[in-house]
Amino acid sequence: MNSEPQAGVRLQKYLASAGVGSRRSCEELIVAGRVRVDGVRVTELGTRVDPGAQTVELDGRPVRPERLRTYLADKPRNLMCTSHDPEGRPTIVEWAARMGADPRLRLYTIGRLDYESEGLILLTNDGELAHAFAHPRHHVEKEYRAWTDLFATRDQIAAMLAGVEDDGEVLRALAVVPEASRPGRPPSLRIVLGEGRNRHIRRMLDVLGLRVKRLRRIRIGSLSESDLRGKPLRELAPAEIDRLAAAP
């Protein structure tokens, strides 16, 4: 058996490091036949390339490494967390460019916030960073403030911590803290998740008879709203990304 390491880098890893997308999305591009190496279509995921000696193209356009950049953003409501929406709804990538992100970058989100939700989200062109965050062992805590139509009871809070079932999934919170309500304002909860499923908080509260009137993410790991420094979007320094990536 030949134990010598193979030359070059895996094609999907090179595409991700060049800012094309997450490693998983790059694998889908390869399988779909949209990538060519030296003019030859490649569909095998194990293919290795030498970027210094070979030409890699996506949809006929050369793929060259971009400067890797990651932004912390305060997503407004009524934005899609995609780069393009077939229904023509506004996207966070379009919004980010207006807020000062480099419009030349192929940005995408790490994780999602649904259309109606708002708050902190990461935008990046670093496919390896996105891949690391997608790994099952890397559950970064995320904290939310949920405004509801009714006050949550002790039993309802206990159920969130124990986990409730919806559509075959168990939806659970790591921590739930009721906040003091001001006169004329809806009650609110601070909810911490270890892993987030699709519409996790809305579905969890709905099962318990609580309707979410507004939902805002206020923390991602070590990053909180104050880290935006009063801006809607800010590029993170390498040290900030390292701290976030090192979180258990």
Side-chain angles (χ1 to χ4, degrees):
M1 179 182 296
N2 184 3
S3 60
E4 292 183 5
Q6 292 178 280
V9 61
R10 287 185 181 272
L11 181 56
Q12 60 265 38
K13 185 174 182 179
Y14 171 72
L15 292 171
S17 66
V20 170
S22 68
R23 200 185 301 183
R24 180 176 297 177
S25 67
C26 291
E27 290 175 350
E28 293 171 355
L29 293 173
I30 295 168
V31 172
R34 295 173 58 185
V35 180
R36 292 177 181 266
V37 178
D38 289 339
V40 179
R41 181 179 286 109
V42 175
T43 57
E44 294 292 330
L45 295 181
T47 302
R48 290 177 176 267
V49 295
D50 180 354
Q54 295 178 289
T55 300
V56 177
E57 297 173 309
L58 170 65
D59 295 334
R61 297 184 178 183
V63 175
R64 298 184 179 91
E66 296 178 333
R67 175 189 168 191
L68 299 182
R69 305 177 77 167
T70 299
Y71 298 91
L72 178 66
D74 186 355
K75 174 193 174 296
R77 283 178 281 185
N78 301 329
L79 280 183
M80 296 296 293
C81 280
T82 56
S83 57
H84 172 73
D85 181 61
E87 297 181 27
R89 290 170 293 186
T91 71
I92 193 168
V93 172
E94 297 164 342
W95 171 87
R98 295 196 301 272
M99 295 300 109
D102 188 339
R104 298 167 298 179
L105 300 179
R106 289 168 285 205
L107 292 173
Y108 44 92
T109 61
I110 295 179
R112 295 285 180 96
L113 281 172
D114 61 50
Y115 186 69
E116 302 91 351
S117 299
E118 62 188 273
L120 300 183
I121 194 162
L122 295 169
L123 284 158
T124 190
N125 67 336
D126 187 341
E128 289 303 293
L129 180 67
H131 177 72
F133 272 83
H135 196 281
R137 69 171 176 78
H138 199 95
H139 290 312
V140 177
E141 280 190 3
K142 299 177 180 68
E143 186 172 356
Y144 301 78
R145 178 174 284 117
W147 288 265
T148 56
D149 59 337
L150 301 169
F151 285 96
T153 66
R154 289 185 178 180
D155 287 345
Q156 287 170 325
I157 292 173
M160 292 181 223
L161 297 174
V164 300
E165 186 173 343
D166 179 62
D167 197 22
E169 293 183 309
V170 176
L171 307 173
R172 181 181 292 108
L174 295 180
V176 181
V177 179
E179 296 188 304
S181 180
R182 298 180 182 178
R185 296 191 178 185
S188 61
L189 299 166
R190 289 176 70 131
I191 301 173
V192 178
L193 300 182
E195 60 176 330
R197 303 183 185 275
N198 183 41
R199 298 179 69 83
H200 190 130
I201 290 176
R202 294 180 187 274
R203 291 165 56 202
M204 181 173 66
L205 294 182
D206 185 63
V207 168
L208 297 171
L210 295 169
R211 184 172 65 86
V212 175
K213 303 184 73 172
R214 181 182 174 192
L215 183 62
R216 178 173 177 79
R217 185 188 285 160
I218 59 176
R219 180 171 64 86
I220 302 174
S222 59
L223 297 171
S224 67
E225 293 173 302
S226 63
D227 290 297
L228 282 167
R229 300 174 187 169
K231 301 176 182 179
L233 177 142
R234 182 177 71 82
E235 184 175 1
L236 295 179
E240 293 175 302
I241 298 171
D242 290 343
R243 284 199 302 273
L244 195 62

